[in-house]
């Protein structure tokens, strides 16, 4: 069970500290149906940002994607780049004013999964709702479906809310 920190406790934690994941704001963002934005370096050496559905396991941010499937013309291009350069930055943020932003950094692992990855199925249910997800998951759970389980175990965490924790308010690390 995760202990949720008070706002006063969170205010004293420096950017980069993994304890920020225990804040009420971080836990809400990790449970929300908001796409994460993953920044990585592509094969041409230039940065890319891609939105992705995710699932927080309590230890890892899992962002499964397709390697191959009958309904997918080609697998995700980012897989080759992530295997070669696994360092990423991830942002999960709101559109509210003021915005709330959870930033994560670390290295991802990429493992292939035959069939529909269970973390993907969980995220589909969260983003689409049970009824729509059931039909979609039935359609994709067929022979030939292979997914990549992209998992980030954060090594750096940042939290901004532009009110009680604006940029520059907590010591950087």
């Amino acid at each position: 069970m995760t202990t949720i920190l008070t706002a006063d406790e969170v205010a004293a934690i420096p950017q980069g500290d993994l304890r920020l994941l225990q804040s009420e704001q971080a836990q809400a963002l990790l449970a929300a149906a908001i796409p994460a934005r993953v920044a990585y370096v592509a094969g041409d050496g230039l940065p890319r940002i891609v939105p992705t559905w995710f699932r927080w396991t309590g230890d890892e941010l899992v962002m499964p994607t397709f390697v191959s499937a009958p309904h997918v013309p080609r697998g995700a291009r980012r897989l080759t780049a992530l295997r070669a350069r696994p360092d990423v930055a991830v942002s999960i943020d709101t559109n509210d004013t003021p915005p709330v932003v959870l930033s994560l950094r670390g290295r991802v692992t990429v493992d292939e999964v035959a069939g529909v990855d269970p973390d993907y199925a969980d995220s589909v249910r969260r983003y689409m709702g049970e009824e729509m997800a059931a039909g979609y998951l039935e359609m994709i759970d067929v022979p030939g479906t292979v997914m990549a389980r992209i998992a980030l175990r954060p090594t750096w965490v940042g939290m901004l809310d532009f009110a009680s924790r604006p940029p520059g308010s907590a010591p950087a690390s």
Side-chain angles (χ1 to χ4, degrees):
M1 182 177 158
T2 302
T3 302
I4 303 299
L5 301 176
T6 68
D8 288 340
E9 290 170 323
V10 172
I13 298 173
Q15 296 289 34
D17 193 310
L18 299 182
R19 292 176 297 165
L20 290 171
L21 289 169
Q22 297 171 10
S23 71
E24 184 176 339
Q25 290 175 322
Q27 290 295 306
L29 288 169
L30 291 166
I34 300 171
R37 292 168 182 86
V38 182
Y40 66 97
V41 178
D44 62 5
L46 297 173
R48 301 283 196 283
I49 298 174
V50 61
T52 186
W53 288 354
F54 68 90
R55 178 173 181 267
W56 176 247
T57 68
D59 297 311
E60 294 178 314
L61 190 75
V62 182
M63 304 162 281
T65 191
F66 290 95
V67 173
S68 63
H71 73 289
V72 175
R74 63 174 165 65
R77 290 183 178 176
R78 66 183 173 267
L79 295 174
T80 301
L82 289 171
R83 286 180 176 117
R85 296 177 186 92
D87 293 312
V88 301
V90 176
S91 176
I92 304 168
D93 48 84
T94 66
N95 288 325
D96 301 332
T97 302
V100 178
V101 181
L102 176 64
S103 297
L104 309 169
R105 295 182 202 159
R107 299 187 120 205
V108 295
T109 57
V110 180
D111 298 305
E112 288 194 10
V113 176
V116 176
D117 179 86
D119 290 306
Y120 183 74
D122 286 346
S123 68
V124 167
R125 289 182 194 99
R126 189 171 83 240
Y127 286 92
M128 296 178 92
E130 287 293 331
E131 188 174 323
M132 284 183 62
Y136 174 68
L137 291 169
E138 183 179 333
M139 179 190 78
I140 66 171
D141 194 9
V142 296
T145 297
V146 178
M147 298 195 77
R149 184 182 190 273
I150 304 167
L152 170 65
R153 191 173 290 267
T155 57
W156 187 97
V157 176
M159 191 76 212
L160 300 172
D161 68 10
F162 295 86
S164 64
R165 197 175 171 90
S169 65
S173 64

